[in-house]
Amino acid sequence: MLRNPAHRVSPRAMVKWTIEHVIGGVVLTACSFGLAQWADQARWSWRFGWLPWTVAGVSLVLAAVVPYWRYRVHRWEVSSDVVYTQAGWLNREWLLVPVSRIQTVDAEQSWLERLLDLATLRISTASHEGSSELSGLPLTAATSLASELAARAHALRDDAT
């Protein structure tokens, strides 16, 4: 059985994930409210007045539970030859990316990550299945890790030729 990687993402990632869930919940609730209004005006025999309330309730529960759960699960670790990540809140994914197979390493920030001083690290390999993403890292950790991994991958490729 695989052990948990050594490092957690930043606790601020929970704030990011909560805000993302709230924004998504507001959009879905507004759409379900529009659907309920449309169905009522179309004089459907089936009423959808319960739908917006149900969507809002489920969205609030998800916004309260999912970020905490993701924080407990999302971890990462870099050893001398592999990047090891663990992700997922409903389905778990353990991914080991050999440093020698890394093609690109990108650190990027969304508008929300910029507000929270977070970043996402994307590690790409030739295989789609071998690529990895670390969301919720502190900006300084993501940029230094990107530089370190890029340099190590470059050095390993030079040694192989």
Side-chain angles (χ1 to χ4, degrees):
M1 184 167 126
L2 292 172
R3 65 172 176 75
N4 288 334
H7 307 288
R8 288 185 188 262
V9 297
S10 171
R12 290 187 309 265
M14 288 189 291
V15 175
K16 174 189 178 256
W17 295 327
T18 300
I19 292 170
E20 288 173 345
H21 276 281
V22 168
I23 290 171
V26 167
V27 169
L28 285 175
T29 301
C31 290
S32 65
F33 181 76
L35 175 66
Q37 291 297 315
W38 175 78
D40 190 44
Q41 289 176 356
R43 301 192 191 279
W44 282 22
S45 60
W46 225 73
R47 300 288 179 212
F48 288 95
W50 54 269
L51 184 63
W53 297 105
T54 304
V55 170
V58 169
S59 296
L60 284 175
V61 169
L62 289 176
V65 172
V66 171
Y68 174 73
W69 192 266
R70 282 182 73 179
Y71 179 72
R72 290 187 65 226
V73 173
H74 280 61
R75 295 173 174 265
W76 62 277
E77 182 176 339
V78 177
S79 69
S80 60
D81 60 342
V82 73
V83 178
Y84 177 28
T85 61
Q86 175 182 309
W89 66 278
L90 193 55
N91 297 320
R92 294 277 167 86
E93 176 183 90
W94 293 269
L95 190 61
L96 297 146
V97 179
V99 175
S100 62
R101 308 294 272 161
I102 293 175
Q103 291 186 330
T104 60
V105 182
D106 299 311
E108 58 186 45
Q109 282 185 304
S110 67
W111 65 272
L112 186 53
E113 287 174 323
R114 198 172 339 186
L115 288 174
L116 297 169
D117 199 34
L118 296 173
T120 297
L121 187 71
R122 295 189 198 284
I123 301 167
S124 301
T125 65
S127 165
H128 171 69
E129 290 295 322
S131 299
S132 183
E133 179 180 295
L134 289 165
S135 178
L137 294 176
L139 177 61
T140 53
T143 54
S144 66
L145 195 56
S147 300
E148 176 190 341
L149 287 173
R152 286 169 59 187
H154 179 70
L156 284 173
R157 263 194 303 282
D158 284 350
D159 285 347
T161 57

